[in-house]
Amino acid sequence: MNSKKPGTLFVLFLLLMCAALTLFFTAAEDYYDYASSSVEGAAQTAPLEKEDLLNLNKKTNEKFNTEIKFRNFFLTVPGAQQVELQADFNGWGKTPIKLKKYNRGYFEISLALPAGEYKYVFVADGKDVLDPTNQDRTQYQGRTVCIKTIR
């Protein structure tokens, strides 16, 4: 009978397979450690329990004033050709807001603004004009400006 002994190629193949499997299981163990720590860390942010997930859908009683409200800015300047609104919300004129002209020098615009405090001034034909209906004023960068508070 002819008995065959494993050749060197076969032994080399077995050694390479053992090395590959060792590398694979080492990498898999590292990934498992990473994934399990990620899931545990994520559990603090995103709940994994069914009750916690159901509680996410319940409405809270907290009320936030995020409503956008329309506010009118208007000015009467007889003889003016153009009136702009310069404010902290438009970069003090970097993005011009021109008021619409109506009869007898009346200019008006309606803007959507969230609640907050805004500084502004009208510019009629290149000259600053304070809002005569708003006496709430302050100094800002060397000029007197009005303050509009939206609640």
Side-chain angles (χ1 to χ4, degrees), residues 16-124:
L16 285 173
M17 285 298 289
C18 287
L21 287 173
T22 303
L23 286 173
F24 172 78
F25 284 114
T26 303
E29 185 178 359
D30 289 344
Y31 178 76
Y32 175 78
D33 290 342
Y34 165 76
S36 63
S37 68
S38 295
V39 168
E40 289 167 5
Q44 298 169 1
T45 326
L48 298 176
E49 302 296 324
K50 180 180 177 183
E51 292 80 22
D52 294 334
L53 288 171
L54 291 173
N55 287 335
L56 281 178
N57 292 331
K58 291 182 181 176
K59 293 184 178 180
T60 61
N61 292 333
E62 297 176 28
K63 293 183 180 180
F64 298 100
N65 190 3
T66 57
E67 181 182 355
I68 302 293
K69 299 177 182 180
F70 285 89
R71 295 293 180 226
N72 289 337
F73 291 87
F74 56 90
L75 180 69
T76 301
V77 186
Q81 297 302 311
Q82 178 178 320
V83 174
E84 288 185 5
L85 178 65
Q86 291 186 0
D88 51 4
F89 54 81
N90 75 338
W92 295 102
K94 290 181 183 175
T95 307
I97 298 176
K98 294 182 180 179
L99 280 71
K100 185 174 180 182
K101 185 177 182 178
Y102 293 94
N103 292 333
R104 298 185 183 132
Y106 179 78
F107 295 83
E108 182 180 33
I109 191 160
S110 183
L111 300 174
L113 296 171
E117 185 176 282
Y118 301 99
K119 296 176 184 71
Y120 70 98
V121 67
F122 295 110
V123 179

